[in-house]
Amino acid sequence: MSIRYREEIKNIQPYKPGKPIEDVKREYNIEKVVKLASNENPLGCSPKVKEAIINAVDKLAIYPDGNHTELKNILAKKHKVKADNILPSSGLDEMIDMIAKTFIGKNDEAIMADITFPRYAQTTEIMGGRPVIVPLKEFSFDLNGILEKISPRTKVIWICNPNNPTGTMITEREFVEFLDKVPSNILVISDEAYREYVTKDDYPFNSIDLTKKYENLLIMRTFSKAYGLAGIRVAYTIGNKEILQYINRVRGPFNVNSLAQVAAIAAIEDEEFLKKSYEINLQGKNFLYEEFDKLKLHYVPSETNHILVNVGRDGQEVFIEMQKRGVIIRPVMGNYIRVSIGTMDENKMFIENLIEVLKE
Ligand SMILES: *Cc1c(COP(=O)(O)O)cnc(C)c1O
């Protein structure tokens, strides 16, 4: 074909999402399938969200509020910032994309870990920039390693805290020491997709306050994980108003659909649901730790809703074998797989099948 594509996208691989449950049911002709591959909330979402969505259905003929005014006002109150310090997006996926479009030009550099959320590198490459990869150290971010990689071409530093897929976190003290050393003309982005699951006190729970002192810091939050709204696509970013205004220039006019806006508002108001999600996750995590210990499998202690575990066999193979039995997990690298923490029934089904697969 003679259609001419941009050079930058020639080597980009499309994102591989976790396999949908229905596909696995069809492919292997099995009835019961559990998906522990995409870190979704096994409890679903708050009943208040369902009600809000039903009430908003009558207004689907009308374009959404392109300025997300009500959502921003509620978030501003919750986080004690001004509405113009907030920019909602259609999931963090869209924000990662918008950040790349706003800041990354040809041969610009974005620093990130080797084992982290894959979209940071892909969106950098799509814009013609160069991902500068700093290997994790014992499954955690090597902040000094990142500082050493800063060059005149560095535009952005991607921090995922806690990190997907390792579940490890950076403490408040480590983060502040790091921010003190990053030149103020380099954007630091803290992707906090899993912060609602963090159990440790020394996590930077005050990260939004830090944006007042460190104007080059952006904090990203999503409704996709602990709030159980991955299907509706809504998230937001908090930081310096001027930076957000630039990102706003590349944003589509109605990026967050109207159901997503009302869903997010209702979700914020149901703190009970969030608490329940945290509790179920903690119970599931402790159960899985115990089972992994019994099986003598090495795992990385997690501050998220997923665990990276060494199954002692090729992860891709284990992934296929588990899938045949109706359990979808994610192979990560070598003998490591990532399993999302489910309901207790799902966790048990995962462990029972893992034992079978590892016996083979
Ligand atoms: C799931 C995930 C996202 C994407 O979240 P959406 O808001 O659903 O787009 C972003 N970052 C990390 C680290 C994630 O795990």
Side-chain angles (χ1 to χ4, degrees):
M1 230 180 18
S2 58
I3 299 294
R4 289 155 297 171
Y5 298 95
R6 285 177 57 227
E7 222 26 70
E8 289 83 356
I9 65 160
K10 286 198 173 147
N11 294 319
I12 304 280
Q13 296 297 321
Y15 182 77
K16 272 212 196 92
K19 225 181 223 266
I21 289 176
E22 293 308 319
D23 287 11
V24 175
K25 281 187 185 170
R26 262 196 307 270
E27 205 169 309
Y28 297 98
N29 196 21
I30 37 180
E31 256 168 39
K32 190 170 177 206
V33 172
V34 304
K35 184 178 169 207
L36 299 172
S38 301
N39 305 334
E40 292 143 335
N41 191 328
L43 300 181
C45 70
S46 158
K48 296 202 169 88
V49 169
K50 294 179 195 172
E51 206 180 299
I53 289 174
I54 289 166
N55 291 335
V57 160
D58 282 341
K59 293 182 200 141
L60 285 182
I62 313 291
Y63 276 105
D65 173 2
N67 293 317
H68 336 95
T69 304
E70 194 185 352
L71 175 57
K72 282 202 293 197
N73 285 341
I74 286 168
L75 287 167
K77 209 165 127 203
K78 174 179 160 81
H79 293 300
K80 302 186 177 64
V81 295
K82 300 221 169 71
D84 51 16
N85 296 118
I86 301 170
L87 187 55
S89 57
S90 177
L92 288 182
D93 281 342
E94 189 204 22
M95 181 52 72
I96 296 167
D97 212 52
M98 291 197 289
I99 287 172
K101 282 182 185 164
T102 309
F103 300 99
I104 304 294
K106 200 159 180 56
N107 297 326
D108 283 343
E109 294 174 357
I111 307 180
M112 64 199 72
D114 55 347
I115 302 162
T116 189
F117 197 58
R119 290 298 293 171
Y120 311 147
Q122 283 167 342
T123 54
T124 303
E125 285 171 347
I126 288 167
M127 296 310 300
R130 282 205 319 118
V132 174
I133 307 294
V134 179
L136 295 176
K137 248 188 181 163
E138 280 154 45
F139 299 99
S140 299
F141 270 73
D142 174 12
L143 294 176
N144 287 326
I146 288 174
L147 291 169
E148 283 166 17
K149 290 285 187 186
I150 289 175
S151 86
R153 295 232 65 128
T154 308
K155 288 292 201 59
V156 171
I157 299 174
W158 287 101
I159 302 288
C160 188
N161 192 23
N163 190 37
N164 174 7
T166 56
T168 50
M169 72 163 220
I170 295 166
T171 67
E172 180 184 335
R173 205 176 55 106
E174 289 164 346
F175 193 45
V176 168
E177 279 178 14
F178 171 75
L179 290 169
D180 277 330
K181 291 176 192 155
V182 176
S184 61
N185 64 346
I186 296 173
L187 195 60
V188 176
I189 298 139
S190 183
D191 180 343
E192 300 184 348
Y194 300 98
R195 56 108 53 195
E196 292 84 4
Y197 291 113
V198 172
T199 62
K200 286 190 177 154
D201 294 337
D202 52 359
Y203 179 79
F205 286 108
N206 67 341
S207 59
I208 286 172
D209 296 335
L210 295 177
T211 62
K212 287 165 193 165
K213 180 171 177 198
Y214 303 96
E215 293 193 325
N216 57 332
L217 172 64
L218 294 182
I219 305 296
M220 301 202 312
R221 304 270 173 95
T222 182
F223 290 94
S224 294
K225 305 288 157 60
Y227 289 95
L229 292 174
I232 210 161
R233 316 304 302 131
V234 58
Y236 59 98
T237 298
I238 295 193
N240 177 269
K241 154 179 137 181
E242 197 183 315
I243 297 175
L244 295 184
Q245 278 168 359
Y246 272 93
I247 299 173
N248 198 36
R249 295 179 189 195
V250 307
R251 179 175 72 83
F254 305 108
N255 63 326
V256 183
N257 74 69
S258 46
L259 299 185
Q261 293 192 35
V262 298
I265 290 165
I268 295 164
E269 285 161 2
D270 193 349
E271 287 178 14
E272 254 334 280
F273 177 81
L274 210 57
K275 222 158 99 194
K276 207 165 111 196
S277 300
Y278 172 92
E279 290 297 336
I280 295 283
N281 188 67
L282 190 56
Q283 284 169 20
K285 188 166 79 172
N286 288 330
F287 167 78
L288 290 172
Y289 284 177
E290 279 173 31
E291 296 298 316
F292 292 150
D293 284 338
K294 281 191 227 162
L295 295 168
K296 300 202 165 46
L297 298 181
H298 172 258
Y299 59 87
V300 183
S302 171
E303 292 301 313
T304 63
N305 65 345
H306 53 267
I307 307 176
L308 190 69
V309 53
N310 185 331
V311 288
R313 254 182 71 185
D314 183 52
Q316 187 67 33
E317 246 174 67
V318 171
F319 160 70
I320 300 283
E321 290 305 316
M322 292 293 280
Q323 193 161 269
K324 286 183 192 162
R325 294 159 185 272
V327 182
I328 318 175
I329 47 93
R330 197 176 262 257
V332 174
M333 42 155 187
N335 293 353
Y336 280 90
I337 62 161
R338 187 193 71 189
V339 59
S340 306
I341 299 164
T343 60
M344 209 42 103
D345 279 352
E346 290 170 335
N347 298 330
K348 284 182 180 154
M349 183 171 161
F350 161 71
I351 288 292
E352 282 160 17
N353 284 286
L354 183 67
I355 290 172
E356 290 296 311
V357 166
L358 294 182
K359 260 194 225 154
E360 281 169 5

